[in-house]
Amino acid sequence: SGDFARALAAFEGAREADAGLGGVWRELGKTRVSLRDNAEARAALEEALRRDAEDVEARYFLGALLVQTGEYAAGQPLLE
């Protein structure tokens, strides 16, 4: 988890420097999934999709997270 914590710090720094930076929200979400910080992961992935609805990787990770946490109806369409 040390590598993920360092990655999180790097992505947080990138977000603070430029919140519009492409992919930073997705990468924050993926890192938070790895750290099992589900609420923050969901928020970051939702923000990634708000900024780019075509971000397939963010859709996949958000869908998988929702299914994993029991929100099947919300998660399944994101995985299709």
Side-chain angles (χ1 to χ4, degrees):
S1 109
D3 290 339
F4 290 121
R6 284 190 292 280
L8 180 62
F11 291 129
E12 289 285 355
R15 187 203 58 194
E16 289 172 12
D18 184 358
L21 187 63
V24 72
W25 291 100
R26 176 189 61 240
E27 296 304 321
L28 276 169
K30 288 170 49 180
T31 303
R32 289 200 180 274
V33 165
S34 297
L35 291 168
R36 293 183 171 80
D37 184 357
N38 293 342
E40 291 295 324
R42 180 178 182 165
L45 292 166
E46 287 174 343
E47 181 63 19
L49 288 175
R50 189 184 71 73
R51 291 171 179 266
D52 179 5
E54 302 302 314
D55 186 332
V56 176
E57 199 172 358
R59 288 177 58 85
Y60 170 80
F61 272 87
L62 180 57
L65 176 64
L66 293 171
V67 167
Q68 180 183 8
T69 57
E71 295 184 56
Y72 304 107
Q76 185 176 359
L78 295 171
L79 297 172
E80 295 176 348

